[in-house]
Amino acid sequence: MIRSVVRGVGSALPRRVLTNQEMESMVDTTDEWIVQRTGIRQRYIAGEGETTASLGEAAARDALADAGLEPGDIDLIVLATSTPDNTFPASAVDIQNRLGIRHGAAFDIQAVCTGFVYAMTTADLYIKSGMARRALVIGAETFSRILDWNDRTTCVLFGDGAGAVVLEGKEGQGTAGDQGILTAHLRSDGTHKDKLYVDGGPSTTGKAGFIHMEGREVFKHAVGMITDVIYDAFNATGIDAGDIDWLVPHQANLRIIEGSARKLGIPMEKVVVTVDKHGNTSAASIPLALAEAARDGRIKRGDLVLLEAMGGGFTWGSVLLRW
Ligand code: ACO
């Protein structure tokens, strides 16, 4: 069977770093509160000329260079974002144009913080079916542009950035020993849609709107949902927590990450954490973390890597792959 193998990974961050100390002068908060509740110490904020598409393009170019490929080698672009440059066309098409690609297909996927897991799963299905051979899967966000900078309960949590992987179809044996994506599991439950949402949109207010979140409600559901969908991955493959080399979670909050790892029995030494440096970059957080851990030599060829995310909708999901 065809497996979708990660051939390259890349990332891009805005130029400007915003520290917790700087946040103290902007809203009624403290570095201590933010670190204790979330683990976040700083985040990157997009400046003039930096957008979801420009960050996504930079991450895509970085991933292509890592893969040793040219833009023309790509026949599918799936961009996970909730902060596109325009209502339409899809920012994926903008990135396709910036890369000079005129063939294949490009589209956006919107599953908020679970966006990258949804995008990986979608690209995997295209590759496995033979509809695409090489895909750029990108997570890119500029959440700073939909934050209410007077609302301390949300503005301290998020940051901007982008990450990307190149997936390539390769023949596998159909066993858990194969390289590439081994299993993927997606969930959503719209009964929770009002717990984390943006109060605007083209069909309602005609404006982009601002983020609102019932933080405690999100927190209450997060660990259970994340671990449920990871057990789905274990049941589908016969792999268990002890086999995992790296857990690369969505980086929303260190307490959610630690709670999930504890429940699964995965030691924190095997968990990639970047939330301290990036804040919550929504769909960009997993590929940003993957890029960091692959570049610094932690994630190596053959390693079993488990991705998971949960976010607005609620949506949640997992992808288990061999690097
Ligand atoms: N600085 C200082 N005080 C603050 C701040 C702040 N930035 N924000 C809120 N507070 C205050 C509140 O006003 C409240 O004060 P009060 O007791 O006088 O009313 C107090 O801190 C406690 O507020 P809570 O909201 O109960 O704080 P909690 O311990 O739940 O932490 C947090 C808030 C960090 C948002 C937490 O609920 C959380 O992590 N939730 C998960 C949500 C999440 O990570 N979402 C990310 C997006 S979703 C996703 O990606 C999965």
Side-chain angles (χ1 to χ4, degrees):
M1 72 180 292
I2 298 175
R3 295 287 195 188
S4 307
V5 174
V6 176
R7 178 156 167 176
V9 60
S11 63
L13 289 162
R15 289 179 291 273
R16 172 149 197 256
V17 176
L18 178 63
T19 63
N20 287 354
Q21 283 74 20
E22 287 174 88
M23 296 262 12
E24 288 178 357
S25 66
M26 296 165 67
V27 284
D28 182 15
T29 192
T30 60
D31 173 54
E32 190 192 357
W33 190 96
I34 301 171
V35 172
Q36 190 193 43
R37 305 286 172 127
T38 72
I40 298 167
R41 295 180 184 275
Q42 61 167 50
R43 73 288 290 144
Y44 290 79
I45 302 294
E48 213 184 316
E50 290 176 322
T51 68
T52 291
S54 79
L55 292 166
E57 177 201 359
R61 288 192 186 279
D62 196 32
L64 284 168
D66 187 47
L69 293 171
E70 298 295 327
D73 297 323
I74 297 299
D75 56 4
L76 176 69
I77 299 176
V78 185
L79 169 67
T81 189
S82 303
T83 47
D85 285 20
N86 295 89
T87 300
F88 74 77
S91 293
V93 175
D94 193 346
I95 293 171
Q96 181 193 30
N97 181 47
R98 287 161 181 262
L99 294 172
I101 304 173
R102 305 280 299 271
H103 61 269
F107 57 87
D108 290 1
I109 279 198
Q110 213 273 55
V112 203
C113 299
T114 318
F116 190 75
V117 170
Y118 270 64
M120 285 285 272
T121 304
T122 304
D124 180 41
L125 292 172
Y126 274 72
I127 288 172
K128 280 204 294 216
S129 75
M131 249 185 103
R133 187 160 149 59
R134 287 198 199 96
L136 262 172
V137 185
I138 307 167
E141 302 278 16
T142 45
F143 262 53
S144 66
R145 305 229 158 101
I146 53 165
L147 288 175
D148 174 352
W149 286 94
N150 296 311
D151 176 8
R152 68 174 183 174
T153 68
T154 52
C155 75
V156 302
L157 302 175
F158 296 92
D160 302 334
V165 301
V166 176
L167 286 183
E168 181 175 63
K170 266 192 184 170
E171 203 60 46
Q173 303 300 311
T175 68
D178 283 353
Q179 196 186 10
I181 294 178
L182 302 175
T183 192
H185 299 267
L186 301 182
R187 295 288 307 278
S188 63
D189 179 355
T191 58
H192 300 289
K193 72 182 177 61
D194 296 330
K195 298 190 174 97
L196 175 52
Y197 70 101
V198 171
D199 62 359
S203 175
T204 50
T205 62
K207 296 192 173 71
F210 296 108
I211 292 176
H212 296 267
M213 179 171 70
E214 292 175 34
R216 278 195 184 173
E217 280 296 309
V218 177
F219 201 98
K220 207 171 76 186
H221 289 90
V223 173
M225 287 178 165
I226 289 164
T227 48
D228 270 1
V229 85
I230 287 176
Y231 291 133
D232 287 344
F234 291 163
N235 289 335
T237 54
I239 285 165
D240 66 31
D243 301 318
I244 299 300
D245 294 298
W246 294 104
L247 173 63
V248 185
H250 167 51
Q251 309 281 322
N253 181 307
L254 187 59
R255 288 189 296 159
I256 295 175
I257 294 173
E258 286 174 343
S260 308
R262 196 179 312 120
K263 191 167 167 196
L264 292 163
I266 297 178
M268 282 305 288
E269 298 80 62
K270 292 186 170 188
V271 183
V272 179
V273 174
T274 52
V275 70
D276 52 332
K277 293 191 285 275
H278 301 159
N280 181 350
T281 58
S282 194
S285 87
I286 290 176
L288 273 164
L290 277 176
E292 181 171 304
R295 289 282 159 85
D296 69 18
R298 274 179 286 172
I299 298 179
K300 291 186 266 318
R301 283 288 160 210
D303 280 357
L304 263 180
V305 180
L306 179 58
L307 317 180
E308 57 83 350
M310 179 266 182
F314 291 149
T315 53
W316 64 108
S318 67
V319 168
L320 177 59
L321 61 94
R322 192 175 298 282
W323 196 256

